[in-house]
Amino acid sequence: MEPSLDSNGKLIVCEGKSSRIYQMRDKSSNKKMALKCYHWNDPVLELRYQHLADIKKNNDISFIVPCKFIPQGTTIQGETNPVLLMDWIEGVPFREFIFRAAGVPRILDKLARLVLRIERKMYRAGLAHCCIEPDHIMLGSNASDERGVLILLDYDNIWVPSLAHRNILEISNPDYQHPGRLKEGIYGPLADRFPLLLFYTSLTAIKVMGPKFLKEKAPEQGLLFSKHDLENPNDSQIFKELLGQKDPFLRGLILEIQDSLARPMAWIPTLEDSVKNITQEAEKGSFGWAEVNFDSLPDTGPIEEESHSISLKDTINEMAATAANRILHGDFDAGIQLYIDCCERDPGNLQCRKKLRDAQMKKLDNKPPSGFGLGRSTKSRVQGWLKSSQFAKALEAGEEGLTYNPWDSAAMRVMGRAADGLGFNDTASWLFQSALKISPNDLEILQDLAEFLERQQDFRSARILWEKILRLNPSDQEAKDRAKELGASETMKRMTDNRDVIISSAPKEVTALAEEQRIRTLIQEKPQWAPYYIELTNLLKKANRLEEAESILRIGIVQSEGDKKLLLEIAHLEKLILTKRIDELKHILSQDKTWPFAKIAEDCLKTEQRRRDSELLKLRVEADPANMASKLELGQMLVELGEIDAAITELQQSRKDPRLSWKALISLGKCFSIKGNATLARRNLEDALKSLPQTEDSFRKEILFSLALSYASENDFAKAVEIGNEIANIDFTYQGIGKLLDEWLLRSKQGQ
């Protein structure tokens, strides 16, 4: 293999975004090859190309170029990076070819059919390119020497089911991507649907409108549509112009794009289904010219919204009046439930929430119950909803718990964070203040309220709270720094008298943008300060800009040298992204129950979720090494993940706690059984039996059954029968123990 030279004796090379591609020549066959040299390395690259090679062997995807990934490709100044060797494709870049063929409808029709074929075959192969744009498509010949076909290039970001938990390595051209993908960072089997819909629609529009239209309307990089058009379809001139055409099929496609922009990406149908449905509707006359008349369309949106809000307000008022009447007549349960229903329908209705709390306290004669705090299941639900950013659900679960103890300050604190997440500032403030009134020296409540007030630019109140935190905990360096910084912010605010007026009168989007810019400026001034990154991340999460939030946190982790709060925050964010991907797969299955790759991808994502959970637990254990419950939970999770040696370490420490010892011993028995050490497995299981509470019959049967199987596997059938009889005495139907006893008895007699 040697590099090819042009007529001037120079290397033939193409510059990519993150690599350089050289034309090479095989000396023996004289065949041209492409050598892609990366300037960087990522372990997922090799995995993706391995899976791609396997998929290509078993599927007809001739639009994918055969390639060979070489991990140890180049070494420059001691740094080793991979290379990719593939066939050299002779052809024309997609965008350039479209401009050449814009006046030939027959060719445009063929290209549109090829786009359809690519989507169909990739979906059937369980594959998504995830970086579809004209720079990654050529018109040329494939490996089967089929001429005039579309060839996809650049497979660094491909999605395959067994790597569903991995992230995209490169952001695609925004002129071809759903704005939701750029904000949310969605990466999965549906990532190509929207860009392929854009390609198909662009080809149809060029066929209808002609080459002159393309030359006039094509943006610098896109075909017809730009990032601005996709983010603002109602104000887009190209959308309006194409919707005004007489061709019903073209108009149907434009309406499909607008519908896709208004819905979550997971709800975008396949291009094949879209084309089929649009064709049928166009034949019925559904997209006829008479339907489009922009000037005559009535502007009913605001009226409908107003009537809806009035209807909701009336309903809430009626329900609240009924609730008050029920409580007046002593029917507290019915009244409280009605108030809870009001809060669920209108989470920001502070008046209803205050009346609900009064009713909850009055029901208990205004005396806090002896059992303080939420129940374990309710508490985990509230925290779970909060972690997954489902703030309304967190508020609902919190109110259910407060019905039993309306003085639970911990619940109010979590609910305050949820209300803040929804943007209900008055409700959040009231919940935080209520929690603080009950627990005035609770450091978590003080910190959450201080951070909330700082976001509301009430710097004076926030400073006072941070100073109180510092008095309660003099070693808290964060409290010391924040109090000092807020003192400066308070002074600056007093110097700008009209600032409050400007902020209060500005649109919500403007104030959010100003707040984002303020935090970014603070990060530039003090890049190692972790709380700024968390504050900016929370702002981005509210706007559903998850990918940006993750990127900010990774920068913060580097700058702060691994701050644990940032590590926890990114672990929570990654779990949220994984949950979104699982939801996307569930939606695919609801539409196509026969798609065989969903289960593989879902198992992959759930395994990764457990891995992230274990990482969170490790951080918790590091922060509180004496917490044996966390060590036990971590050990059990590591067993599920197959990390047996690490699990044994955590479980052996947690078994020292008498309250947890039997659970730890059961898990240790499983660990040693997996490692093939039957002696240690039985020893731990027998110790578990000794410390097992009398009420735990299900675990008793499980332990005895494991012991019986262990002895039977070593041909000690007499011992297996002895233990099996104990199980049969408790539950004769358990795991078919009756039949096993017969078998072991027979084997025992044969061995005598």
Side-chain angles (χ1 to χ4, degrees):
M1 192 77 67
E2 64 180 8
S4 300
L5 304 176
D6 62 16
S7 56
N8 296 318
K10 294 183 178 180
L11 291 170
I12 300 175
V13 60
C14 303
E15 290 287 349
K17 293 179 183 177
S18 57
S19 59
R20 185 174 290 168
I21 302 170
Y22 296 92
Q23 188 186 92
M24 308 294 287
R25 185 178 67 85
D26 189 316
K27 292 181 181 179
S28 58
S29 64
N30 207 35
K31 182 180 179 180
K32 293 178 183 177
M33 303 292 290
L35 186 70
K36 182 176 182 178
C37 300
Y38 292 89
H39 311 319
W40 50 278
N41 195 4
D42 192 302
V44 76
L45 270 178
E46 184 174 5
L47 292 171
R48 281 182 176 152
Y49 279 101
Q50 285 174 355
H51 284 286
L52 182 61
D54 293 338
I55 291 171
K56 188 163 174 61
K57 285 178 188 175
N58 301 315
N59 294 274
D60 176 20
I61 47 174
S62 55
F63 46 83
I64 300 289
V65 182
C67 48
K68 180 181 179 182
F69 187 84
I70 305 169
Q72 309 294 321
T74 60
T75 301
I76 301 173
Q77 296 181 346
E79 183 180 348
T80 300
N81 288 318
V83 297
L84 189 70
L85 188 64
M86 65 182 81
D87 292 349
W88 182 270
I89 302 298
E90 297 286 358
V92 183
F94 184 73
R95 191 170 185 272
E96 180 184 333
F97 185 82
I98 296 302
F99 274 85
R100 291 187 193 178
V104 188
R106 177 178 54 82
I107 293 178
L108 295 172
D109 271 338
K110 180 183 178 181
L111 290 176
R113 290 196 300 272
L114 290 174
V115 169
L116 266 173
R117 186 173 75 167
I118 285 174
E119 189 212 36
R120 181 170 58 249
K121 290 194 172 186
M122 282 204 295
Y123 179 70
R124 289 176 181 173
L127 178 69
H129 186 279
C130 296
C131 203
I132 294 281
E133 57 182 76
D135 287 349
H136 296 156
I137 305 177
M138 288 188 73
L139 193 87
S141 302
N142 59 25
S144 305
D145 289 330
E146 186 182 359
R147 299 179 64 81
V149 296
L150 295 180
I151 306 292
L152 295 185
L153 305 173
D154 196 333
Y155 317 126
D156 295 348
N157 297 286
I158 62 160
W159 181 92
V160 295
S162 51
L163 295 176
H165 61 293
R166 297 290 191 167
N167 290 326
I168 197 166
L169 297 175
E170 179 185 349
I171 300 298
S172 306
N173 187 331
D175 289 338
Y176 298 92
Q177 298 300 325
H178 192 292
R181 183 183 174 195
L182 296 172
K183 290 178 181 177
E184 299 173 34
I186 292 175
Y187 171 68
L190 308 184
D192 296 337
R193 287 189 176 180
F194 186 76
L196 289 175
L197 172 62
L198 281 186
F199 276 26
Y200 190 93
T201 303
S202 298
L203 291 167
T204 304
I206 295 165
K207 183 185 75 170
V208 171
M209 306 296 290
K212 184 179 178 183
F213 179 80
L214 174 62
K215 289 178 182 178
E216 290 176 354
K217 302 297 181 182
E220 188 174 339
Q221 291 184 318
L223 284 175
L224 291 179
F225 305 100
S226 67
K227 177 187 175 185
H228 177 77
D229 294 318
L230 302 179
E231 290 179 345
N232 307 279
N234 294 331
D235 299 326
S236 166
Q237 192 59 40
I238 191 77
F239 274 116
K240 290 180 180 179
E241 192 161 346
L242 292 176
L243 275 171
Q245 301 306 309
K246 293 183 179 181
D247 188 287
F249 184 68
L250 172 59
R251 295 191 53 247
L253 286 169
I254 298 300
L255 290 170
E256 183 68 20
I257 291 176
Q258 289 187 325
D259 285 347
S260 297
L261 290 169
R263 59 164 71 113
M265 283 187 63
W267 292 74
I268 298 175
T270 65
L271 180 58
E272 189 172 20
D273 286 344
S274 294
V275 170
K276 181 180 177 181
N277 292 334
I278 292 168
T279 302
Q280 291 173 350
E281 292 299 316
E283 289 172 354
K284 294 177 186 177
S286 300
F287 306 124
W289 168 261
E291 289 188 17
V292 180
N293 190 340
F294 293 104
D295 296 332
S296 64
L297 284 175
D299 186 12
T300 57
I303 297 172
E304 290 177 3
E305 186 177 342
E306 185 180 349
S307 63
H308 171 74
S309 62
I310 291 171
S311 174
L312 176 62
K313 184 178 179 181
D314 290 343
T315 302
I316 295 294
N317 288 340
E318 186 176 335
M319 290 171 66
T322 305
N325 187 52
R326 292 287 179 88
I327 290 167
L328 183 65
H329 290 85
D331 191 354
F332 285 99
D333 290 339
I336 287 170
Q337 188 56 54
L338 278 168
Y339 276 133
I340 288 176
D341 291 343
C342 289
C343 293
E344 287 181 7
R345 291 180 180 222
D346 186 6
N349 193 320
L350 181 55
Q351 186 178 5
C352 277
R353 208 170 286 277
K354 286 181 176 180
K355 288 180 178 179
L356 168 60
R357 194 73 71 250
D358 289 341
Q360 290 167 333
M361 291 180 174
K362 191 174 181 181
K363 179 187 175 184
L364 299 173
D365 294 326
N366 292 311
K367 296 177 182 177
S370 55
F372 224 68
L374 287 178
R376 184 176 178 182
S377 61
T378 306
K379 185 177 181 180
S380 63
R381 279 195 299 129
V382 175
Q383 291 176 337
W385 290 127
L386 184 67
K387 287 177 183 177
S388 60
S389 298
Q390 299 195 49
F391 303 120
K393 292 285 187 184
L395 282 172
E396 292 171 19
E399 288 296 1
E400 289 177 17
L402 288 175
T403 297
Y404 302 100
N405 180 8
W407 290 270
D408 187 346
S409 59
M412 294 177 193
R413 178 183 72 84
V414 177
M415 291 170 67
R417 291 176 61 189
D420 181 30
L422 289 167
F424 299 144
N425 295 333
D426 291 342
T427 302
S429 177
W430 176 71
L431 286 164
F432 283 135
Q433 297 284 0
S434 299
L436 191 63
K437 187 176 180 180
I438 295 165
S439 304
N441 293 327
D442 187 299
L443 292 175
E444 288 185 323
I445 296 172
L446 286 165
Q447 182 170 335
D448 279 352
L449 180 54
E451 290 174 349
F452 170 76
L453 291 170
E454 185 178 344
R455 287 193 292 275
Q456 301 305 308
Q457 299 198 350
D458 186 352
F459 300 127
R460 180 177 179 277
S461 299
R463 173 181 58 78
I464 291 170
L465 288 173
W466 281 113
E467 288 173 349
K468 182 174 181 178
I469 293 170
L470 189 59
R471 287 196 301 273
L472 292 169
N473 183 13
S475 63
D476 192 331
Q477 186 61 40
E478 180 185 358
K480 184 177 181 180
D481 291 341
R482 294 292 278 271
K484 183 178 178 181
E485 289 174 6
L486 286 166
S489 298
E490 185 184 348
T491 303
M492 289 179 65
K493 187 178 181 184
R494 282 201 301 267
M495 292 171 65
T496 53
D497 296 332
N498 63 337
R499 186 176 179 187
D500 287 338
V501 178
I502 295 170
I503 290 174
S504 62
S505 61
K508 188 175 181 180
E509 295 81 3
V510 175
T511 56
L513 190 62
E515 179 68 0
E516 180 182 338
Q517 188 56 51
R518 180 187 72 82
I519 303 169
R520 288 185 183 275
T521 302
L522 290 172
I523 288 174
Q524 289 177 352
E525 293 171 355
K526 198 172 182 180
Q528 75 281 6
W529 187 239
Y532 291 153
Y533 293 96
I534 292 176
E535 194 173 351
L536 179 55
T537 298
N538 289 335
L539 196 67
L540 294 173
K541 280 163 64 178
K542 285 181 185 179
N544 215 13
R545 293 156 62 185
L546 302 185
E547 190 170 271
E548 288 182 66
E550 184 181 10
S551 175
I552 288 293
L553 285 172
R554 293 198 183 282
I555 293 169
I557 288 168
V558 173
Q559 294 289 347
S560 65
E561 298 181 352
D563 181 89
K564 287 187 177 178
K565 285 186 178 179
L566 294 183
L567 290 170
L568 281 167
E569 189 69 28
I570 200 166
H572 286 308
L573 183 61
E574 287 171 342
K575 275 194 66 180
L576 179 60
I577 292 171
L578 288 170
T579 301
K580 281 181 173 288
R581 292 183 186 176
I582 291 173
D583 290 342
E584 181 182 322
L585 287 170
K586 288 178 180 176
H587 179 73
I588 294 174
L589 277 178
S590 72
Q591 303 296 310
D592 181 5
K593 292 181 173 59
T594 63
W595 196 58
F597 305 102
K599 184 69 169 64
I600 301 170
E602 187 177 5
D603 288 346
C604 170
L605 290 169
K606 287 184 175 178
T607 299
E608 186 64 18
Q609 272 192 327
R610 289 195 294 272
R611 195 177 304 282
R612 300 292 167 85
D613 285 338
S614 72
E615 290 172 2
L616 281 168
L617 277 170
K618 285 175 185 175
L619 289 170
R620 199 187 305 166
V621 167
E622 288 174 12
D624 185 7
N627 189 331
M628 293 298 118
S630 293
K631 285 183 178 290
L632 173 62
E633 190 178 353
L634 175 58
Q636 291 171 331
M637 195 168 291
L638 290 170
V639 174
E640 289 182 26
L641 293 169
E643 299 178 27
I644 304 303
D645 290 348
I648 290 172
T649 301
E650 302 299 335
L651 292 168
Q652 285 181 334
Q653 292 184 52
S654 62
R655 73 178 173 187
K656 296 173 185 176
D657 187 327
R659 298 168 301 172
L660 308 172
S661 61
W662 64 274
K663 292 182 179 179
L665 288 163
I666 291 173
S667 295
L668 281 167
K670 291 179 182 177
C671 288
F672 288 116
S673 178
I674 292 169
K675 289 178 73 68
N677 191 329
T679 302
L680 278 178
R682 288 196 295 268
R683 179 175 173 180
N684 279 277
L685 290 172
E686 287 164 355
D687 287 346
L689 272 178
K690 295 173 186 176
S691 56
L692 188 71
Q694 290 295 322
T695 55
E696 298 290 349
D697 275 348
S698 60
F699 283 105
R700 190 179 307 280
K701 289 185 287 186
E702 180 187 333
I703 296 169
L704 289 169
F705 190 71
S706 297
L707 284 169
L709 289 177
S710 177
Y711 282 113
S713 68
E714 294 189 345
N715 296 325
D716 189 347
F717 296 108
K719 189 68 175 176
V721 168
E722 179 187 338
I723 296 172
N725 282 330
E726 288 190 52
I727 302 170
N729 189 47
I730 300 170
D731 182 357
F732 188 76
T733 62
Y734 184 78
Q735 299 284 352
I737 191 63
K739 290 183 179 180
L740 286 172
L741 273 173
D742 292 340
E743 180 186 335
W744 293 339
L745 277 167
L746 181 62
R747 299 283 295 274
S748 176
K749 290 175 181 177
Q750 289 173 347
Q752 290 178 354

